[in-house]
Amino acid sequence: MSIPETRWRCEQFHQSRTNANNGCQIINAQIHSDYEESTVESNKGNMVSLEKKSPEERLNICRKYYFGGFAFLPLLWLINAIWFYKQAFKVEPYPQQAQIRTYVIRSAIGTLAWLLIIIIWNVLFQVFRTKMGPAGDYLTFVVPRGYY
Amino acid sequence: MDEMYISFNRARYCVRRVNATHEIGCQSSSRGNSGRMYMIDDENEFRSFLTNKKTLDSIGRFIITLNIDLFDSEHMDELMTRLDTKLNGLLVYLKSNLTRPKHFSPDDQCPNHRHSYYLNQTQAVNWNPKGNGLFFRSFPFPIMLIDEEDDYKLLLSYYQRFNSSQSTSSCGLELKTFQNAAHTSKTCMRRGEISHSLIDEAETLCDPVGGLNIYSKLSEPLTITPKQRSPKSVILILATTDSFQMFLKANGATGGVQQPATSLIAFLSLAHLIGQAQEDLNKIEKEIIFVTLDGDALDYSGSFRFMYDMENNYFPTDSKDEERIRKEHIHSVIEFQALSFTGQLSESNLYAHPSNLTNETFINSLTNRTSTIVPMPRDAPLPPASSQIFLRQTSSLFFPVYILTSTNQSQLSNHYYHSFFDDPSTLSINISSLEYNTTTDFSQWIKSLVEPLAQTLIETITGLNKNITIEQEIINNLVYCVLKNINCPLIHNVSNETSGNSFDAFDQTSLPFSVNTYPTATTPTFTFVRNTLSYFLRDRTYDGLNLTETACKEQSKNDSFRLYRFVGGYPPSISTEEKFLGYCVRSYYRSAYSSSPAFAIDKYDLADTTYPAWSESRWSTISLRLFIIPTQSHEIITLVIGILLLSISFIAFFFLRYFTKLSLLQPSSS
């Protein structure tokens, strides 16, 4: 049954009985646990919850993202830094945390470096595209029509 | 007003062209330039508009509707400096054909001064003194022109209805003339070749200016053996086949009547006269070659290409059996350029240069034969003409040039030089009543011009004094075909069937004279010139042979030098007694591309200014639309009502959901 309908039924129940709160709460609790179960059931395999993984598995994931980012994939580094930030600095220490911490820091540095490179290149291209002569045109993906 | 937009489909528009160093013409944004319309009809309104601070400040973007009498560089400069970025477009109007301005030429005052014979001279002669030079300027906004009277009346009626006071709604115009080209020819051509292979195709942004240079001569009946060409044995007769206008119209009149149509008609008539005298001319070693050049209106591109071909042994093209012609072989050059007819007694002027090479006997006998040709003083500065490039490229050491043109004290007689106003009415021809064989003053004048010239030429070459004449009918037919209807009996009589059928698409249109580009758009010009010229210079002995079509084709198998085609036959030109159903035409003609050497030379840097490098932009849609801009209060009310309706609909739905206990999304259960 869907949630709006059950809420309405709850209210009806509440109006007709004096100590109907209990009944409603029970129904509400039932609904919420049903919902959580169903979501966990259906999302199994999509969303990785780090709390459920063992520390070795966490280190493994972090390492994979760290090395993957070297293949000119700065977004992997960005995600690595953000996702493992809590694990590296906020959670209670555990043996693998030191290594995870170095990976997170280096990923953050790498992201910043890439950001800088991309911004600088973008600005340079926009300013010097026409002054570069043929090189500017060959680098342009969609050649502008009608203006220089 | 029932419709949202009123379209003007017959408007003329200005396009972008680029050369080695600059871009010229007009450009709009890809979605069109729109703004509030403001009409300026005369000088007073112009002055009051520029000083009316209230109007200028209150409106964001203008489309100025300007009377064509005010369209010159001073007014344009004032308007552009005063309005700056608020000027979003310009619409020029012509009230009616009867009130056309007396002079209108968007060309420079000294046409083609960028590449001329007189490059380093300080004092330029202003051959086109009323030229406003606006064609060669670059405008960041679109400019269009309406020349139809009913278009103007419609525009005026809407303007007067809606623009009476500030508070009521006003007219707005949208001009869309988006051009693909930008910057220079080099950039444009380079961008046109960029393609990212699998992802997209290269999209050509602009086309180089150029068409075909066509040449023809008498096809000698003697068998061709490679014989040595003696020096000074070739006489070139020149005419051009192109012009330009600032305002184009698809399927509209292009102008170009005084230049080059008149010259072309005289050129073809001279060709017929030379063809008539072929018996005597064939006995002499000298050749007369008739050449049409295309692309000369823009910095003499065609002439540069012709001289380049000559220097590189490409003239004549595709001729295994002929020795190539070089500058040593040229005896003289005679050119028809910018001929105007101003009345029955109008004269044309003969310029000759350089004075150390010109043949005084020739000039004297020509001017003595007729009073319509007047010689110019020795070493008079030459008017804009293709011959200037012939002299320049040979340092004027090899041959003299003779230019037949219409000037009046160092000014061209053409008031509408290189503009669309250059139409048959300037030749005192009533084009609507012109028939295929009407004898007009103009065609009689052409006859009086070419006959003495042919007689003098023949006398100079052969020494014989022949009183050769051309049938008036032939000139009448040429005038009709070129100026009124290209799909005429003449062209069908001188072309074979497939060639003749290609003219049916151009029925009731005159021969267009515009900027030709390569790849060539469908223009009938080159086919017309080729067929007519080669027919007029045909081997007339074949008129008496009653050959069938297959026999004609057989002839071509043995002869790669000349061309054979089977045509219906043009009666005024055929002098034999017997008339047949069809004639085999043996003729000689060649055609070569006339785009500037800048586009022909391998690895030529298009930014180099040695040769002109003009290209014309490509474009897709052109539109001119009028719409009504509502008043400020009207717009605010519309917005408020809209927001109100939106909120009302949200509220209504909210009420429906929570207070009627109707679940619109789920099926009701139990």
PDB file of all heavy atoms in Angstrom, chain B residues 85-113:
ATOM      1  N   THR B  85      26.355  51.167 -31.330  1.00  0.00           N
ATOM      2  CA  THR B  85      25.836  49.804 -31.295  1.00  0.00           C
ATOM      3  C   THR B  85      24.316  49.747 -31.337  1.00  0.00           C
ATOM      4  O   THR B  85      23.742  48.681 -31.484  1.00  0.00           O
ATOM      5  CB  THR B  85      26.307  49.081 -30.026  1.00  0.00           C
ATOM      6  OG1 THR B  85      26.074  49.931 -28.911  1.00  0.00           O
ATOM      7  CG2 THR B  85      27.767  48.739 -30.115  1.00  0.00           C
ATOM      8  N   LYS B  86      23.664  50.903 -31.220  1.00  0.00           N
ATOM      9  CA  LYS B  86      22.202  50.864 -31.269  1.00  0.00           C
ATOM     10  C   LYS B  86      21.697  50.632 -32.679  1.00  0.00           C
ATOM     11  O   LYS B  86      20.554  50.241 -32.881  1.00  0.00           O
ATOM     12  CB  LYS B  86      21.630  52.194 -30.758  1.00  0.00           C
ATOM     13  CG  LYS B  86      21.756  52.357 -29.274  1.00  0.00           C
ATOM     14  CD  LYS B  86      20.864  53.463 -28.774  1.00  0.00           C
ATOM     15  CE  LYS B  86      21.051  53.617 -27.282  1.00  0.00           C
ATOM     16  NZ  LYS B  86      20.060  54.467 -26.675  1.00  0.00           N
ATOM     17  N   LEU B  87      22.547  50.890 -33.666  1.00  0.00           N
ATOM     18  CA  LEU B  87      22.129  50.673 -35.047  1.00  0.00           C
ATOM     19  C   LEU B  87      22.259  49.191 -35.344  1.00  0.00           C
ATOM     20  O   LEU B  87      23.355  48.664 -35.502  1.00  0.00           O
ATOM     21  CB  LEU B  87      23.013  51.490 -35.988  1.00  0.00           C
ATOM     22  CG  LEU B  87      22.678  51.433 -37.470  1.00  0.00           C
ATOM     23  CD1 LEU B  87      21.276  51.927 -37.725  1.00  0.00           C
ATOM     24  CD2 LEU B  87      23.666  52.267 -38.253  1.00  0.00           C
ATOM     25  N   ASN B  88      21.115  48.539 -35.411  1.00  0.00           N
ATOM     26  CA  ASN B  88      21.126  47.091 -35.548  1.00  0.00           C
ATOM     27  C   ASN B  88      20.865  46.634 -36.980  1.00  0.00           C
ATOM     28  O   ASN B  88      20.878  45.449 -37.267  1.00  0.00           O
ATOM     29  CB  ASN B  88      20.057  46.489 -34.628  1.00  0.00           C
ATOM     30  CG  ASN B  88      20.532  45.188 -34.027  1.00  0.00           C
ATOM     31  OD1 ASN B  88      21.710  44.883 -34.042  1.00  0.00           O
ATOM     32  ND2 ASN B  88      19.602  44.398 -33.536  1.00  0.00           N
ATOM     33  N   GLY B  89      20.616  47.572 -37.867  1.00  0.00           N
ATOM     34  CA  GLY B  89      20.354  47.179 -39.249  1.00  0.00           C
ATOM     35  C   GLY B  89      19.883  48.383 -40.025  1.00  0.00           C
ATOM     36  O   GLY B  89      19.478  49.388 -39.448  1.00  0.00           O
ATOM     37  N   LEU B  90      19.968  48.262 -41.351  1.00  0.00           N
ATOM     38  CA  LEU B  90      19.582  49.379 -42.201  1.00  0.00           C
ATOM     39  C   LEU B  90      18.719  48.854 -43.331  1.00  0.00           C
ATOM     40  O   LEU B  90      19.052  47.851 -43.954  1.00  0.00           O
ATOM     41  CB  LEU B  90      20.846  50.022 -42.770  1.00  0.00           C
ATOM     42  CG  LEU B  90      20.692  51.367 -43.458  1.00  0.00           C
ATOM     43  CD1 LEU B  90      20.433  52.423 -42.424  1.00  0.00           C
ATOM     44  CD2 LEU B  90      21.957  51.707 -44.215  1.00  0.00           C
ATOM     45  N   LEU B  91      17.620  49.521 -43.560  1.00  0.00           N
ATOM     46  CA  LEU B  91      16.786  49.143 -44.697  1.00  0.00           C
ATOM     47  C   LEU B  91      16.696  50.361 -45.608  1.00  0.00           C
ATOM     48  O   LEU B  91      16.201  51.408 -45.207  1.00  0.00           O
ATOM     49  CB  LEU B  91      15.391  48.725 -44.215  1.00  0.00           C
ATOM     50  CG  LEU B  91      14.410  48.322 -45.306  1.00  0.00           C
ATOM     51  CD1 LEU B  91      14.889  47.085 -46.021  1.00  0.00           C
ATOM     52  CD2 LEU B  91      13.036  48.056 -44.714  1.00  0.00           C
ATOM     53  N   VAL B  92      17.218  50.233 -46.796  1.00  0.00           N
ATOM     54  CA  VAL B  92      17.193  51.339 -47.742  1.00  0.00           C
ATOM     55  C   VAL B  92      15.988  51.141 -48.648  1.00  0.00           C
ATOM     56  O   VAL B  92      15.670  50.020 -49.021  1.00  0.00           O
ATOM     57  CB  VAL B  92      18.498  51.352 -48.582  1.00  0.00           C
ATOM     58  CG1 VAL B  92      18.534  52.539 -49.486  1.00  0.00           C
ATOM     59  CG2 VAL B  92      19.701  51.326 -47.660  1.00  0.00           C
ATOM     60  N   TYR B  93      15.311  52.203 -48.983  1.00  0.00           N
ATOM     61  CA  TYR B  93      14.152  52.024 -49.861  1.00  0.00           C
ATOM     62  C   TYR B  93      14.207  52.968 -51.047  1.00  0.00           C
ATOM     63  O   TYR B  93      14.753  54.066 -50.976  1.00  0.00           O
ATOM     64  CB  TYR B  93      12.843  52.192 -49.095  1.00  0.00           C
ATOM     65  CG  TYR B  93      12.609  53.564 -48.506  1.00  0.00           C
ATOM     66  CD1 TYR B  93      12.056  54.588 -49.271  1.00  0.00           C
ATOM     67  CD2 TYR B  93      12.919  53.814 -47.177  1.00  0.00           C
ATOM     68  CE1 TYR B  93      11.847  55.845 -48.718  1.00  0.00           C
ATOM     69  CE2 TYR B  93      12.710  55.065 -46.634  1.00  0.00           C
ATOM     70  CZ  TYR B  93      12.166  56.072 -47.399  1.00  0.00           C
ATOM     71  OH  TYR B  93      11.962  57.305 -46.848  1.00  0.00           O
ATOM     72  N   LEU B  94      13.627  52.507 -52.118  1.00  0.00           N
ATOM     73  CA  LEU B  94      13.458  53.307 -53.324  1.00  0.00           C
ATOM     74  C   LEU B  94      11.961  53.509 -53.484  1.00  0.00           C
ATOM     75  O   LEU B  94      11.217  52.541 -53.518  1.00  0.00           O
ATOM     76  CB  LEU B  94      14.032  52.548 -54.521  1.00  0.00           C
ATOM     77  CG  LEU B  94      13.819  53.172 -55.895  1.00  0.00           C
ATOM     78  CD1 LEU B  94      14.719  54.355 -56.062  1.00  0.00           C
ATOM     79  CD2 LEU B  94      14.106  52.147 -56.977  1.00  0.00           C
ATOM     80  N   LYS B  95      11.543  54.757 -53.567  1.00  0.00           N
ATOM     81  CA  LYS B  95      10.096  54.985 -53.578  1.00  0.00           C
ATOM     82  C   LYS B  95       9.449  54.450 -54.842  1.00  0.00           C
ATOM     83  O   LYS B  95       8.431  53.779 -54.799  1.00  0.00           O
ATOM     84  CB  LYS B  95       9.816  56.483 -53.450  1.00  0.00           C
ATOM     85  CG  LYS B  95      10.001  56.984 -52.067  1.00  0.00           C
ATOM     86  CD  LYS B  95       9.477  58.394 -51.927  1.00  0.00           C
ATOM     87  CE  LYS B  95       9.904  58.951 -50.595  1.00  0.00           C
ATOM     88  NZ  LYS B  95       9.662  60.363 -50.468  1.00  0.00           N
ATOM     89  N   SER B  96      10.028  54.784 -55.970  1.00  0.00           N
ATOM     90  CA  SER B  96       9.494  54.211 -57.202  1.00  0.00           C
ATOM     91  C   SER B  96      10.576  54.320 -58.261  1.00  0.00           C
ATOM     92  O   SER B  96      11.523  55.066 -58.122  1.00  0.00           O
ATOM     93  CB  SER B  96       8.252  54.945 -57.661  1.00  0.00           C
ATOM     94  OG  SER B  96       8.614  56.079 -58.397  1.00  0.00           O
ATOM     95  N   ASN B  97      10.397  53.582 -59.328  1.00  0.00           N
ATOM     96  CA  ASN B  97      11.408  53.571 -60.369  1.00  0.00           C
ATOM     97  C   ASN B  97      11.574  54.918 -61.049  1.00  0.00           C
ATOM     98  O   ASN B  97      12.604  55.208 -61.652  1.00  0.00           O
ATOM     99  CB  ASN B  97      11.043  52.522 -61.416  1.00  0.00           C
ATOM    100  CG  ASN B  97      12.156  51.524 -61.587  1.00  0.00           C
ATOM    101  OD1 ASN B  97      13.298  51.799 -61.239  1.00  0.00           O
ATOM    102  ND2 ASN B  97      11.836  50.366 -62.118  1.00  0.00           N
ATOM    103  N   LEU B  98      10.550  55.746 -60.928  1.00  0.00           N
ATOM    104  CA  LEU B  98      10.635  57.050 -61.572  1.00  0.00           C
ATOM    105  C   LEU B  98      11.462  58.024 -60.751  1.00  0.00           C
ATOM    106  O   LEU B  98      11.920  59.042 -61.247  1.00  0.00           O
ATOM    107  CB  LEU B  98       9.226  57.630 -61.762  1.00  0.00           C
ATOM    108  CG  LEU B  98       8.261  56.731 -62.522  1.00  0.00           C
ATOM    109  CD1 LEU B  98       6.844  57.214 -62.333  1.00  0.00           C
ATOM    110  CD2 LEU B  98       8.638  56.722 -63.996  1.00  0.00           C
ATOM    111  N   THR B  99      11.643  57.736 -59.454  1.00  0.00           N
ATOM    112  CA  THR B  99      12.370  58.679 -58.615  1.00  0.00           C
ATOM    113  C   THR B  99      13.748  58.142 -58.258  1.00  0.00           C
ATOM    114  O   THR B  99      14.289  58.454 -57.216  1.00  0.00           O
ATOM    115  CB  THR B  99      11.601  58.949 -57.303  1.00  0.00           C
ATOM    116  OG1 THR B  99      11.448  57.696 -56.617  1.00  0.00           O
ATOM    117  CG2 THR B  99      10.267  59.561 -57.588  1.00  0.00           C
ATOM    118  N   ARG B 100      14.322  57.331 -59.129  1.00  0.00           N
ATOM    119  CA  ARG B 100      15.628  56.790 -58.796  1.00  0.00           C
ATOM    120  C   ARG B 100      16.660  57.910 -58.797  1.00  0.00           C
ATOM    121  O   ARG B 100      16.527  58.868 -59.563  1.00  0.00           O
ATOM    122  CB  ARG B 100      16.037  55.672 -59.751  1.00  0.00           C
ATOM    123  CG  ARG B 100      15.942  56.004 -61.221  1.00  0.00           C
ATOM    124  CD  ARG B 100      16.707  55.024 -62.052  1.00  0.00           C
ATOM    125  NE  ARG B 100      16.156  53.687 -62.003  1.00  0.00           N
ATOM    126  CZ  ARG B 100      16.587  52.691 -62.760  1.00  0.00           C
ATOM    127  NH1 ARG B 100      17.580  52.892 -63.611  1.00  0.00           N
ATOM    128  NH2 ARG B 100      16.069  51.487 -62.654  1.00  0.00           N
ATOM    129  N   PRO B 101      17.669  57.825 -57.930  1.00  0.00           N
ATOM    130  CA  PRO B 101      18.661  58.903 -57.882  1.00  0.00           C
ATOM    131  C   PRO B 101      19.396  59.015 -59.209  1.00  0.00           C
ATOM    132  O   PRO B 101      19.545  58.047 -59.944  1.00  0.00           O
ATOM    133  CB  PRO B 101      19.620  58.456 -56.767  1.00  0.00           C
ATOM    134  CG  PRO B 101      19.365  57.028 -56.564  1.00  0.00           C
ATOM    135  CD  PRO B 101      17.968  56.754 -56.967  1.00  0.00           C
ATOM    136  N   LYS B 102      19.886  60.216 -59.469  1.00  0.00           N
ATOM    137  CA  LYS B 102      20.507  60.470 -60.757  1.00  0.00           C
ATOM    138  C   LYS B 102      21.848  59.741 -60.875  1.00  0.00           C
ATOM    139  O   LYS B 102      22.253  59.336 -61.942  1.00  0.00           O
ATOM    140  CB  LYS B 102      20.701  61.972 -60.936  1.00  0.00           C
ATOM    141  CG  LYS B 102      20.928  62.374 -62.367  1.00  0.00           C
ATOM    142  CD  LYS B 102      20.533  63.834 -62.577  1.00  0.00           C
ATOM    143  CE  LYS B 102      21.105  64.354 -63.889  1.00  0.00           C
ATOM    144  NZ  LYS B 102      22.579  64.380 -63.917  1.00  0.00           N
ATOM    145  N   HIS B 103      22.544  59.644 -59.740  1.00  0.00           N
ATOM    146  CA  HIS B 103      23.786  58.892 -59.712  1.00  0.00           C
ATOM    147  C   HIS B 103      23.697  57.907 -58.573  1.00  0.00           C
ATOM    148  O   HIS B 103      23.252  58.258 -57.493  1.00  0.00           O
ATOM    149  CB  HIS B 103      24.986  59.809 -59.422  1.00  0.00           C
ATOM    150  CG  HIS B 103      25.226  60.840 -60.460  1.00  0.00           C
ATOM    151  ND1 HIS B 103      26.148  60.685 -61.466  1.00  0.00           N
ATOM    152  CD2 HIS B 103      24.652  62.042 -60.653  1.00  0.00           C
ATOM    153  CE1 HIS B 103      26.146  61.753 -62.222  1.00  0.00           C
ATOM    154  NE2 HIS B 103      25.252  62.593 -61.763  1.00  0.00           N
ATOM    155  N   PHE B 104      24.114  56.701 -58.799  1.00  0.00           N
ATOM    156  CA  PHE B 104      24.194  55.762 -57.693  1.00  0.00           C
ATOM    157  C   PHE B 104      25.245  54.736 -58.033  1.00  0.00           C
ATOM    158  O   PHE B 104      25.034  53.893 -58.896  1.00  0.00           O
ATOM    159  CB  PHE B 104      22.851  55.085 -57.434  1.00  0.00           C
ATOM    160  CG  PHE B 104      22.868  54.221 -56.208  1.00  0.00           C
ATOM    161  CD1 PHE B 104      22.743  54.792 -54.954  1.00  0.00           C
ATOM    162  CD2 PHE B 104      23.032  52.852 -56.292  1.00  0.00           C
ATOM    163  CE1 PHE B 104      22.778  54.008 -53.813  1.00  0.00           C
ATOM    164  CE2 PHE B 104      23.065  52.058 -55.158  1.00  0.00           C
ATOM    165  CZ  PHE B 104      22.936  52.641 -53.917  1.00  0.00           C
ATOM    166  N   SER B 105      26.373  54.802 -57.353  1.00  0.00           N
ATOM    167  CA  SER B 105      27.417  53.818 -57.606  1.00  0.00           C
ATOM    168  C   SER B 105      28.113  53.478 -56.313  1.00  0.00           C
ATOM    169  O   SER B 105      28.748  54.326 -55.711  1.00  0.00           O
ATOM    170  CB  SER B 105      28.430  54.366 -58.609  1.00  0.00           C
ATOM    171  OG  SER B 105      29.513  53.471 -58.714  1.00  0.00           O
ATOM    172  N   PRO B 106      27.989  52.248 -55.833  1.00  0.00           N
ATOM    173  CA  PRO B 106      28.667  51.880 -54.597  1.00  0.00           C
ATOM    174  C   PRO B 106      30.148  51.585 -54.790  1.00  0.00           C
ATOM    175  O   PRO B 106      30.838  51.259 -53.825  1.00  0.00           O
ATOM    176  CB  PRO B 106      27.927  50.614 -54.162  1.00  0.00           C
ATOM    177  CG  PRO B 106      27.414  50.027 -55.412  1.00  0.00           C
ATOM    178  CD  PRO B 106      27.148  51.147 -56.349  1.00  0.00           C
ATOM    179  N   ASP B 107      30.629  51.707 -56.022  1.00  0.00           N
ATOM    180  CA  ASP B 107      32.028  51.425 -56.290  1.00  0.00           C
ATOM    181  C   ASP B 107      32.882  52.607 -55.853  1.00  0.00           C
ATOM    182  O   ASP B 107      32.368  53.688 -55.552  1.00  0.00           O
ATOM    183  CB  ASP B 107      32.199  51.140 -57.789  1.00  0.00           C
ATOM    184  CG  ASP B 107      33.450  50.332 -58.089  1.00  0.00           C
ATOM    185  OD1 ASP B 107      34.307  50.198 -57.191  1.00  0.00           O
ATOM    186  OD2 ASP B 107      33.577  49.847 -59.224  1.00  0.00           O
ATOM    187  N   ASP B 108      34.187  52.417 -55.860  1.00  0.00           N
ATOM    188  CA  ASP B 108      35.088  53.500 -55.486  1.00  0.00           C
ATOM    189  C   ASP B 108      35.059  54.602 -56.525  1.00  0.00           C
ATOM    190  O   ASP B 108      34.637  54.404 -57.647  1.00  0.00           O
ATOM    191  CB  ASP B 108      36.533  52.981 -55.401  1.00  0.00           C
ATOM    192  CG  ASP B 108      36.726  52.076 -54.215  1.00  0.00           C
ATOM    193  OD1 ASP B 108      36.056  52.302 -53.198  1.00  0.00           O
ATOM    194  OD2 ASP B 108      37.538  51.148 -54.331  1.00  0.00           O
ATOM    195  N   GLN B 109      35.632  55.748 -56.141  1.00  0.00           N
ATOM    196  CA  GLN B 109      35.724  56.836 -57.107  1.00  0.00           C
ATOM    197  C   GLN B 109      36.737  56.519 -58.191  1.00  0.00           C
ATOM    198  O   GLN B 109      36.588  56.957 -59.325  1.00  0.00           O
ATOM    199  CB  GLN B 109      36.105  58.132 -56.391  1.00  0.00           C
ATOM    200  CG  GLN B 109      34.961  58.647 -55.561  1.00  0.00           C
ATOM    201  CD  GLN B 109      35.221  60.026 -55.044  1.00  0.00           C
ATOM    202  OE1 GLN B 109      36.368  60.446 -54.932  1.00  0.00           O
ATOM    203  NE2 GLN B 109      34.164  60.746 -54.743  1.00  0.00           N
ATOM    204  N   CYS B 110      37.751  55.773 -57.834  1.00  0.00           N
ATOM    205  CA  CYS B 110      38.675  55.295 -58.848  1.00  0.00           C
ATOM    206  C   CYS B 110      38.556  53.774 -58.840  1.00  0.00           C
ATOM    207  O   CYS B 110      39.211  53.109 -58.031  1.00  0.00           O
ATOM    208  CB  CYS B 110      40.106  55.743 -58.543  1.00  0.00           C
ATOM    209  SG  CYS B 110      41.262  55.292 -59.843  1.00  0.00           S
ATOM    210  N   PRO B 111      37.717  53.202 -59.693  1.00  0.00           N
ATOM    211  CA  PRO B 111      37.450  51.768 -59.599  1.00  0.00           C
ATOM    212  C   PRO B 111      38.700  50.928 -59.818  1.00  0.00           C
ATOM    213  O   PRO B 111      39.540  51.263 -60.643  1.00  0.00           O
ATOM    214  CB  PRO B 111      36.443  51.529 -60.729  1.00  0.00           C
ATOM    215  CG  PRO B 111      35.850  52.846 -61.016  1.00  0.00           C
ATOM    216  CD  PRO B 111      36.918  53.837 -60.753  1.00  0.00           C
ATOM    217  N   ASN B 112      38.796  49.847 -59.082  1.00  0.00           N
ATOM    218  CA  ASN B 112      39.910  48.911 -59.230  1.00  0.00           C
ATOM    219  C   ASN B 112      41.262  49.568 -59.064  1.00  0.00           C
ATOM    220  O   ASN B 112      42.223  49.214 -59.753  1.00  0.00           O
ATOM    221  CB  ASN B 112      39.849  48.210 -60.601  1.00  0.00           C
ATOM    222  CG  ASN B 112      38.940  46.998 -60.546  1.00  0.00           C
ATOM    223  OD1 ASN B 112      38.616  46.498 -59.484  1.00  0.00           O
ATOM    224  ND2 ASN B 112      38.538  46.527 -61.702  1.00  0.00           N
ATOM    225  N   HIS B 113      41.348  50.516 -58.128  1.00  0.00           N
ATOM    226  CA  HIS B 113      42.635  51.195 -57.981  1.00  0.00           C
ATOM    227  C   HIS B 113      43.656  50.342 -57.239  1.00  0.00           C
ATOM    228  O   HIS B 113      44.838  50.657 -57.230  1.00  0.00           O
ATOM    229  CB  HIS B 113      42.446  52.531 -57.256  1.00  0.00           C
ATOM    230  CG  HIS B 113      41.876  52.365 -55.876  1.00  0.00           C
ATOM    231  ND1 HIS B 113      42.637  52.188 -54.765  1.00  0.00           N
ATOM    232  CD2 HIS B 113      40.591  52.327 -55.450  1.00  0.00           C
ATOM    233  CE1 HIS B 113      41.856  52.053 -53.697  1.00  0.00           C
ATOM    234  NE2 HIS B 113      40.619  52.143 -54.087  1.00  0.00           N
TER     235      HIS B 113
END
